C-alpha cells in the first residue's frame, strides 16, 4: 500500500518554490524527512526544466510505497530531456546530471500530449543518498 499526492503549477519560475514546499511538507507528513533534501533538490531541477523548456503548466506527483519514493514531473512538451556533456564554464545544464547522481533511478517518457520525467529515491534504512555523490559529480 502506498501514498500519493499531486498538484498542478503554473509555467512560471515563481511556482518552483511552491513545488519544492509541496515536496518538503509531504515528505515530512509521510515521516520520510530523511529524503527531503535530495527530493527537494531533484524536484526543483525537474520543475525548473518544465518552466524553462516546456513553458507549460506542470504537475508534480509524489508516490511513496516500499521500497521507493517516486517523484514525477509532467509538462505539456513532447521534447524529452537530454543530458548535456559536462562544461565547467556553463552556468546551466547540470540539472539532469544532478538527478542522475542522486537518484536511485530516473527516466522520461511521452505521456498524452506531453512528457513525464521521474526519479526514485530509496526509502529503506541505510539507502539514503549521500551528498558526497553530488559533490563528486559537480
Amino acid at each position: 500500500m502506498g501514498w500519493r499526492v499531486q498538484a498542478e503549477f503554473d509555467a512560471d519560475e515563481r511556482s518552483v518554490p511552491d513545488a519544492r514546499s509541496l515536496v518538503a511538507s509531504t515528505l515530512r507528513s509521510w515521516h520520510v524527512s530523511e529524503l527531503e533534501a535530495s527530493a527537494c533538490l531533484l524536484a526543483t531541477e525537474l520543475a525548473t526544466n518544465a518552466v524553462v523548456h516546456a513553458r507549460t503548466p506542470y504537475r508534480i506527483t509524489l508516490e511513496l510505497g516500499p521500497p521507493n519514493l517516486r517523484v514525477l514531473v509532467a509538462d505539456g512538451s513532447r521534447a524529452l530531456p537530454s543530458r548535456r556533456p559536462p562544461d565547467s564554464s556553463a552556468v546551466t545544464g547540470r540539472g539532469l546530471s544532478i538527478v542522475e547522481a542522486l537518484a536511485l533511478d530516473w527516466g522520461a517518457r511521452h505521456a498524452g500530449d506531453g512528457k513525464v520525467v521521474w526519479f526514485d529515491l530509496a526509502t529503506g534504512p541505510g539507502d539514503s543518498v549521500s551528498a558526497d555523490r553530488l559533490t563528486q559529480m559537480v
Side-chain angles (χ1 to χ4, degrees), residues 13-136:
E13 70 263 0
R14 292 174 294 202
S15 70
V16 174
D18 294 334
R20 185 174 45 247
S21 292
L22 169 77
V23 172
S25 63
T26 299
L27 295 182
R28 280 186 239 125
S29 74
W30 288 349
H31 305 288
V32 288
S33 56
E34 69 275 8
L35 300 177
E36 184 179 337
S38 295
C40 285
L41 174 63
L42 301 184
T44 297
E45 290 296 335
L46 297 185
T48 300
N49 284 350
V51 169
V52 171
H53 300 293
R55 298 182 180 170
T56 67
Y58 62 98
R59 180 179 61 251
I60 293 188
T61 305
L62 289 90
E63 298 173 343
L64 180 65
N68 299 326
L69 166 70
R70 176 164 284 186
V71 178
L72 306 97
V73 178
D75 63 46
S77 170
R78 301 253 325 141
L80 295 177
S82 61
R83 262 185 85 231
R84 288 196 241 162
D87 178 355
S88 61
S89 64
V91 294
T92 63
R94 292 185 176 93
L96 290 178
S97 295
I98 293 169
V99 172
E100 186 175 76
L102 294 180
L104 179 65
D105 196 11
W106 76 278
R109 68 179 187 275
H110 291 111
D113 291 336
K115 70 174 170 300
V116 174
V117 183
W118 57 269
F119 66 85
D120 290 341
L121 295 175
T123 59
D127 291 332
S128 60
V129 181
S130 166
D132 291 340
R133 287 173 62 188
L134 177 61
T135 55
Q136 290 170 2

